[in-house]
Amino acid sequence: MIKFLDIQKINAQYSNELKVAASAVIDSGWYLLGNYVKQFESDLAAFTGATNAIAVGNGLDALRLIFKGYIEMGIMQPGDEVIAPANTYIASILSISDNGLTPVLVEPDLATYNIDIAKIEEAITPRTKAIMVVHLYGKACWSDELERIAKKHNLKIIEDNAQAIGATWNGTRTGNLGDAAGFSFYPGKNLGALGDSGAVTTRDSELENTIRAIANYGSHKKYVNKYQGLNSRMDEMQAAFLSIKLKHIDKENSIRRTHAALYLEKTENNAVVLPAKSEEALSLEHVWHLFVIRTKNRKKFMNYLTERGIQTLIHYPIPPHKQEAYKKLNHLTYSITEKIHNEVVSLPISPVQTTEETEAIIQAINQYDE
Ligand SMILES: *Cc1c(COP(=O)(O)O)cnc(C)c1O
């Protein structure tokens, strides 16, 4: 069987180093807010080029904390609007609404699956305070036009970088393009911890300071609380693991790219819409967290591959505005987003996938008869 993502095999590559690190953490007697977290924060700051990194509990918290930080700094207030793509994972939207901010959804570009930058300006109102870009499926979402819009309307740009660690735009890493970025190290992400964790990166040291306190009960100094904070911290064990795995992320992402290039080069079936070709596959703008195709008869296509021992998944079956959690948005129509959610299928891709496996998947797809 070809697994969608073999996390065990990914971590097995580093198991000796990971076990040594685990032992060292166990023996240290220090499990939170220690040297491994400090080290990982400095590794991540250096990797992205952003001057500050704050290790937190998970990716959703990373994004929530960015908005909480801006609210405490007086830059945003509840009721303000944040523009976000309509076709993202719900966590992006939760981070906005959780802070009493209003998500304003904008359709994606069908060619890239990222927010359609040409449609952002018409969604701006006097209450708009930020644009959240999501580098969906691992593809960097950025442009000079986006920067111009943000500057003109005095908006913050927040990156949801949960899926795109290592991607670059014009030589700058995602996570260092906007005003602040949230990372997820959920085990299935390109840089996966062995449990939950996440991080914020930003060049803004006031925001960094504020978030650091909010994530620690609202306190800079033990038992002195400046904010009504929360508890969201990366533990020492995960930090130690992540510093080890971060050293390999560029190599792992480049292996993902070679699989993507193979898919793009050799898949030929009119029933399947591939990701935009051009020079995309090997472009450093894409780290291929997911390789997503579209097909009209999705159920049949997925069953066909399952019968041939190939696991596939859907990212994502229901868009945020159609979820029960967002009843107030249910009446809205985002036709491009809905088309995407009805037709997408994610094919297996990972740094431990073999060329033979990718070729077997391609062959199966080429023989598929809609
Ligand atoms: C995974 C993910 C998140 C949330 O990260 P967690 O660590 O699971 O909380 C947020 N946004 C996107 C786009 C994601 O893929």
Side-chain angles (χ1 to χ4, degrees):
M1 195 192 49
I2 302 176
K3 283 192 181 175
F4 178 73
L5 177 67
D6 192 339
I7 294 177
Q8 189 179 31
K9 197 169 169 189
I10 290 174
N11 288 326
Q13 304 175 97
Y14 315 116
S15 81
N16 288 341
E17 252 187 294
L18 295 173
K19 285 171 185 169
V20 168
S23 292
V25 174
I26 292 166
D27 293 345
S28 75
W30 192 273
Y31 307 113
L32 286 165
L33 301 173
N35 291 331
Y36 288 97
V37 164
K38 270 201 196 101
Q39 183 62 51
F40 177 67
E41 287 179 339
S42 109
D43 294 345
L44 185 66
F47 178 82
T48 56
T51 35
N52 306 290
I54 309 129
V56 301
N58 56 64
L60 172 57
D61 277 0
L63 296 167
R64 286 167 72 202
L65 283 159
I66 292 168
F67 291 113
K68 276 193 202 310
Y70 280 132
I71 289 171
E72 292 294 357
M73 286 162 71
I75 288 171
M76 294 176 195
Q77 45 183 317
D80 285 343
E81 294 171 1
V82 177
I83 290 172
N87 64 319
T88 183
Y89 180 53
I90 198 160
S92 318
I93 308 303
L94 290 171
S95 73
I96 299 168
S97 58
D98 180 65
N99 282 292
L101 300 162
T102 305
V104 173
L105 305 178
V106 168
E107 288 269 45
D109 176 345
L110 198 54
T112 63
Y113 302 118
N114 279 332
I115 193 168
D116 189 341
I117 291 168
K119 290 182 183 157
I120 288 179
E121 213 156 11
E122 65 203 41
I124 294 172
T125 76
R127 293 227 71 166
T128 309
K129 289 290 161 60
I131 301 166
M132 176 186 272
V133 294
V134 181
H135 307 301
L136 199 69
Y137 306 150
K139 182 170 169 47
C141 175
W142 203 261
S143 72
D144 293 331
E145 175 67 1
L146 175 72
E147 288 184 22
R148 187 195 65 78
I149 295 167
K151 197 169 262 168
K152 179 175 162 197
H153 299 275
N154 194 23
L155 307 176
K156 299 288 184 196
I157 306 180
I158 291 147
E159 299 171 71
D160 179 340
N161 198 29
Q163 302 191 356
I165 185 166
T168 61
W169 186 82
N170 251 354
T172 301
R173 298 263 193 195
T174 55
N176 190 25
L177 289 163
D179 294 283
F183 290 68
S184 166
F185 308 116
Y186 175 80
K189 297 288 158 76
N190 284 30
L191 179 63
L194 279 64
D196 267 323
S197 51
V200 176
T201 53
T202 178
R203 293 178 304 276
D204 179 343
S205 47
E206 188 188 347
L207 180 66
E208 183 246 354
N209 247 312
T210 310
I211 289 176
R212 218 175 261 295
I214 298 171
N216 190 35
Y217 311 106
S219 160
H220 286 292
K221 197 175 155 207
K222 207 167 187 182
Y223 306 130
V224 181
N225 299 79
K226 183 164 177 187
Y227 313 107
Q228 294 177 19
L230 44 98
N231 175 4
S232 184
R233 303 180 294 219
M234 183 186 293
D235 59 69
E236 290 282 284
M237 193 75 89
Q238 299 308 332
F241 294 154
L242 287 169
S243 282
I244 292 167
K245 292 186 73 181
L246 181 62
K247 289 185 289 186
H248 304 281
I249 191 70
D250 281 335
K251 177 196 69 196
E252 291 205 343
N253 284 340
S254 78
I255 297 170
R256 286 173 182 271
R257 271 183 209 113
T258 62
H259 289 290
L262 202 56
Y263 275 130
L264 288 173
E265 188 196 338
K266 296 197 171 165
T267 312
E268 274 176 53
N269 189 323
N270 290 334
V272 169
V273 182
L274 295 169
K277 255 185 193 165
S278 59
E279 68 284 55
E280 291 286 299
L282 296 168
S283 148
L284 299 177
E285 285 182 26
H286 211 319
V287 294
W288 299 100
H289 172 57
L290 296 169
F291 190 93
V292 176
I293 61 101
R294 293 202 317 275
T295 189
K296 298 270 186 222
N297 197 345
R298 173 164 70 188
K299 214 170 184 174
K300 183 175 171 190
F301 179 78
M302 291 179 79
N303 284 338
Y304 168 86
L305 291 179
T306 306
E307 279 165 18
R308 276 153 193 79
I310 299 163
Q311 277 187 341
T312 56
L313 292 174
I314 300 171
H315 298 90
Y316 298 90
I318 307 170
H321 74 281
K322 292 296 179 196
Q323 297 283 0
E324 198 181 339
Y326 287 106
K327 278 203 195 71
K328 277 192 199 151
L329 303 178
N330 286 177
H331 70 283
L332 297 170
T333 302
Y334 294 95
S335 53
I336 299 170
T337 295
E338 286 158 34
K339 177 183 171 64
I340 290 170
H341 285 258
N342 286 329
E343 297 181 358
V344 286
V345 178
S346 306
L347 303 179
I349 191 162
S350 87
V352 292
Q353 190 162 304
T354 64
T355 306
E356 292 71 32
E357 286 173 326
T358 305
E359 276 172 348
I361 298 164
I362 293 167
Q363 194 181 19
I365 294 173
N366 290 351
Q367 288 165 1
Y368 169 69
D369 190 359
E370 195 175 41

